[in-house]
Each structure stands twice: as structure tokens, then as C-alpha cells.
Amino acid sequence: MSTDATVPVRTYVEQNSAGFVEDLKDWLRIPSVSADPDRAGDVRESAEWLAAKLRATGFPTVEVWETAGGAGLPAVFAEWPSGDPDAPTVAVYGHHDVQPATPLELWENPPFDPSVRDGKLYARGASDDKGQLFFHVLGVRAHLAATGRSAPAVNLKLIAEGEEESGSPNFAQLLRERAERLACDVVVVSDTGMWDRATPSTVTGMRGMIGAQIDVHGPSGDVHSGSFGGAIPNPLTELVHLLAGLHDGDRRVTLPGFYDGIVELSDRERRLFAELPFDEAAWLRNAKSAAAVGEAGYSTLERVWARPTAEINGIWGGHTGPGPKTIIPAEAHAKLSFRLVAGQDPAQVRKALETWLAERMPAYLKYELTFEGGGVFPCLTPLDHPALQSVTRALGRAFAEDPDGEHRRILYTREGGSGPEADLQEVLDAPVVFLGTSLPDDGWHAPNEKVDVAGLLKGAEAAAYLWEDLAGNK
Ligand SMILES: [Zn+2]
């Protein structure tokens, strides 16, 4: 299908970079803040803007999808079939909504009036996530120009969410409703970044999460600690005693079966993590902490990326105002959350907490245990997965001095947080790989959010190589 009139990917990307930046600036001028109900019209306009751009790029199918919940924050779906019956199907995920821009006075240029200074494009959404989603538009054009094809080498689908910055409340349902349209062999998420400028890397997984609240009831009302103290149960004392047993001396979580079936780090992944130029002192400054402590036998990065956790997020009850008030309080409360890793299921952790609490709570105390929704699954793609190897090669070419020569070495990271990526893996039953070139100092969710324009162009380049690679590697 290839013709002689091809242009190398990097050349094409460079020749079209000015137009790419101008188009992106147009999109960034639309303040698609999903958290602000007054901006719902802007989120819709942002969706329509993207849909029009995808049509102009050549996607034969482009649709704006309403989500449940009635917030009017639509997603955009696009599809471009390869024409090759054996081509694999890829679904690109990103989001077109943005975080609120307040406090406005901390911005050097207005957040929705994009400005390029020193090769960096400053605007809300420049990096998270419009810039990283938009590099796919340039990427697919570069892929066609370089291969001489009239359609991509993969069946290319794209889903741009409009509610991500509001916690993706309807995304899992949208995926379930549209699972057939979104069916794919691999999901490519472009909503993460790299280790740093000198260390190109890709994410291999994210942790899951489940949140819970415990409410313990003691006396039916607050009573005098002089008259009754020492002779009846104090629900706060009992609760903190119980929660003190949530970890053992090695800081391992004591819920029964908590670690059963989890995917342990391989020696190779541990070695690769250890190669990342990790500055623990700088990390501790970001952590606003004096010391790094955690599960025995694991490094700091391993703890935040690849190990599950239990945290007490808050405890309250009784008298907390000024001065003394000598009572046995009627109630005690705590909020807990658990970060989960591959092999754990939020429902399994929920059961484990129920069992743990039932076994340890004294019979003379009444309590309720409630959960914050069904939780979020973890996701992980193993290092030897063919799709992850394709991403590694594509990034290695994009970041190499000479894309046809020796490739740059790409390292691996994970995300300690949780997101809609897990729903993609769960509902679409496809591996998730991550193609993002944002840098840690891009200021996501902060004033003066920016993106390195050269990094976005590398993203476009990598996407172009990735479609070629996945098609040859199905
Ligand atoms: Zn994002």
C-alpha cells in the first residue's frame, strides 16, 4: 500500500509543528472545566471542536456521546478502520475536560489565553490532557505520510472523556453501554507522563482503591467520665485500639487474605525501578515528610507503585473543642482507604475488612461499616506483554537521535494513584498501555500549567511509530 512519495515521521512532524501548535491553542481557548456547572456549555463546545478536527483529519466516523447523569459533559468517539482484515484494533483514551484554573491571580498569562514562552506552551489543559490527546491527531497524519497509506495500519479508535477531572462518574457506565463500539485488542492511554526530560519512560500500571467508614456506638449519649469512666466501654478508645492493629510490626496490613494472589514485583522490574534516578530527599520534600517509612523489604518507589496499603484518613468523635469536657463519648468514627495492586479485587478487600472488623470488634459495641462505592480496580500490563514492547520500541525510536538507528533505552514507572484506566481494562477486557510525554514539572492541576512543545511532538512521533509497530506485531 506504500507509495514512493513518503515523508519520514520525524520530518512530517517537524514540518507540521507550527500548525499543530496553533490548532492546539484554539482548543485550549475553550475553558472546558467539567467541575463548574456554568462551564458545561464550554465542555460541549470543546467536544464539538475535537469532533470537527477529527473529521478534518480523516476519521470517517466521529460521534459526540452523551453520558448518563445529565451533567451534559459529553465524550467524543472516533473510528478509522484500517482496511486490512488482520489489523489489530487500538483504542486511544484521553480527556478533553480540564481542571478549574483558580486562583487566577497566580497565572502569568490568563489560563485560557495560551502563550508559548521558551518552547513551553502555557495554558490550562496544555498537558493534562488536551496537548497529549491532540498529539494523536498529528501522529496519525505522520503515520499515513510515512507509510504512504490512506488509512492507518491499525483499526484506530479514540475516546475522549469529558468528565475525567470530575472523577469520571459516568465513564464506566458509558464503557459498558458502548463496549461493542469500543471493542479493541489494546488500549493506549495518553494521560500520564515520563520520569524526567533525560529519562524517557512509560507507565505500566496504576493502583486501585476502595474507601470505607466505620461508625462505632458506645453509650446512647455522652456520659460523665467521673461517674462512669473506667467501668463502661469508650467507643473512641476501643476504635483506636482496634485500628492500631491494622498493620503489624513490619507495616504489613493485617486484613485476612489481603496479600493473597497479588502480582509480586519481578526481579527484573525491581532492577529497572532501581535504575531510575530517584532523589529520595527531593521526593521527601514533595511528600512534606521527615522520613520515608513503609512495608519492610521494599524501596520507596516499590511501596508507592507496587504494594497495597491501608490508610486511616480521619478519626473523629467526642469533644474536640477548646477546654476540657470530661465525657465518655457516645460515638467514634473513622474513614479508611486502601490502595490496591494487580491481583486484588475491591470486593475481596471489602470482604476482608468486614471479616477483620467482625472478629475484632467487642460484642458489646454496635457498629456500621460502609463503603464509598464499589471501589476502583488496579491495572497492570506485564513487562513482557507484546503491546508494551511495541510502546517501548515506539518511544525508543521517537527519543533516539536517529529514529532508524539505535533506539533510546526506555524505563518503566507505575502510578500510585487510581483512575478510569482500570475501567478500560476491566470493561473492554484489553491490556492498557501508556503513551504520555508530559514531565513532572508541567504543573498539572496547578497555576501556570505548561507543556514542552518538543515533548508533544515526540508524542506524535511515538504514536506514528506505534501504529506501524502494533500492526506488524499483532
Ligand atoms: Zn488527565
Side-chain angles (χ1 to χ4, degrees):
M1 268 209 212
S2 150
T3 68
D4 289 339
T6 58
V7 184
V9 166
R10 184 167 294 176
T11 309
Y12 186 90
V13 165
E14 279 163 6
Q15 285 171 350
N16 289 276
S17 62
F20 165 79
V21 172
E22 285 315 305
D23 281 349
L24 176 57
K25 283 163 80 176
D26 271 350
W27 195 19
L28 291 167
R29 287 190 186 97
I30 305 171
S32 49
V33 179
S34 58
D36 182 350
D38 291 342
R39 294 285 194 204
D42 295 305
V43 176
R44 182 169 300 279
E45 193 188 331
S46 162
E48 297 289 357
W49 187 97
L50 177 61
K53 192 55 70 177
L54 292 170
R55 282 183 200 110
T57 302
F59 280 84
T61 301
V62 180
E63 297 169 16
V64 172
W65 284 354
E66 302 301 328
T67 63
L73 306 168
V76 179
F77 170 76
E79 184 173 8
W80 197 339
S82 160
D84 291 347
D86 295 335
T89 301
V90 177
V92 170
Y93 168 84
H95 60 90
H96 69 91
D97 64 324
V98 300
Q99 278 277 307
T102 46
L104 298 180
E105 63 276 15
L106 295 184
W107 285 79
E108 278 174 42
N109 57 285
F112 300 106
D113 184 8
S115 139
V116 178
R117 302 190 292 277
D118 269 344
K120 315 275 193 302
L121 172 58
Y122 290 81
R124 172 58 85 230
S127 179
D128 178 18
D129 183 36
K130 283 174 172 167
Q132 300 212 92
L133 187 52
F134 199 54
F135 73 51
H136 283 285
V137 169
L138 180 55
V140 70
R141 287 169 52 208
H143 165 63
L144 299 180
T147 56
R149 300 179 56 96
S150 53
V154 296
N155 298 307
L156 188 58
K157 298 180 180 184
L158 183 144
I159 177 79
E161 193 189 354
E163 300 177 305
E164 199 273 346
E165 301 293 8
S166 296
S168 302
N170 305 297
F171 191 60
Q173 190 182 334
L174 182 75
L175 289 179
R176 282 191 290 270
E177 286 167 4
R178 308 279 188 162
E180 233 168 273
R181 303 285 308 277
L182 288 164
C184 60
D185 300 304
V186 58
V187 177
V188 175
V189 169
S190 286
D191 190 24
T192 54
M194 310 197 118
W195 180 264
D196 64 27
R197 190 174 305 272
T199 317
S201 62
T202 186
V203 171
T204 64
M206 299 179 85
R207 290 197 290 191
M209 193 180 75
I210 186 157
Q213 178 167 331
I214 304 170
D215 303 288
V216 184
H217 306 278
S220 59
D222 293 353
V223 297
H224 194 291
S225 71
S227 309
F228 304 102
I232 61 168
N234 178 322
L236 267 171
T237 309
E238 304 271 354
L239 180 61
V240 296
H241 178 72
L242 200 142
L243 291 178
L246 193 55
H247 296 88
D248 67 15
D250 286 331
R251 295 179 192 273
R252 283 171 65 86
V253 179
T254 55
L255 301 191
F258 187 69
Y259 295 94
D260 288 357
I262 73 170
V263 178
E264 297 288 344
L265 279 161
S266 67
D267 289 344
R268 177 168 173 239
E269 194 163 13
R270 298 187 84 168
R271 273 199 310 276
L272 289 170
F273 281 178
E275 278 187 44
L276 291 163
F278 177 57
D279 177 347
E280 187 150 282
W283 181 87
L284 276 172
R285 281 194 294 280
N286 277 335
K288 300 176 185 168
S289 292
V293 298
E295 186 183 353
Y298 294 92
S299 72
T300 294
L301 287 180
E302 289 168 354
R303 286 169 180 160
V304 292
W305 287 347
R307 300 302 296 168
T309 66
E311 297 291 348
I312 301 170
N313 307 120
I315 299 182
W316 69 102
H319 174 59
T320 56
K325 186 181 179 199
T326 48
I327 54 162
I328 311 290
E331 289 179 7
H333 310 271
K335 277 191 189 280
L336 310 181
S337 62
F338 300 83
R339 294 282 175 178
L340 314 180
V341 299
Q344 285 180 307
D345 174 336
Q348 162 209 340
V349 174
R350 179 185 168 129
K351 261 207 192 74
L353 181 61
E354 284 167 355
T355 306
W356 182 87
L357 206 52
E359 281 172 357
R360 297 182 182 219
M361 187 71 79
Y364 47 75
L365 288 173
K366 291 218 178 326
Y367 72 95
E368 292 102 41
L369 172 62
T370 48
F371 291 89
E372 309 276 350
V376 179
F377 274 86
C379 69
L380 179 69
T381 300
L383 293 189
D384 58 2
H385 194 286
L388 182 55
Q389 290 176 353
S390 286
V391 169
T392 307
R393 281 191 295 270
L395 284 168
R397 282 181 82 179
F399 281 85
E401 299 270 311
D402 168 8
D404 298 320
E406 200 180 335
H407 299 179
R408 267 294 281 284
R409 187 138 176 276
I410 302 301
L411 288 176
Y412 299 99
T413 65
R414 295 197 201 177
E415 294 275 321
S418 312
E421 290 76 4
D423 291 325
L424 289 160
Q425 186 188 40
E426 200 58 29
V427 179
L428 303 183
D429 193 23
V432 173
V433 292
F434 295 79
L435 188 70
T437 57
S438 173
L439 296 172
D441 67 353
D442 279 346
W444 287 27
H445 300 197
N448 301 307
E449 177 182 346
K450 67 173 185 304
V451 75
D452 185 7
V453 172
L456 290 184
L457 300 179
K458 288 292 175 205
E461 217 186 301
Y465 299 135
L466 181 58
W467 307 148
E468 230 182 293
D469 195 295
L470 283 168
N473 173 31
K474 40 191 183 283

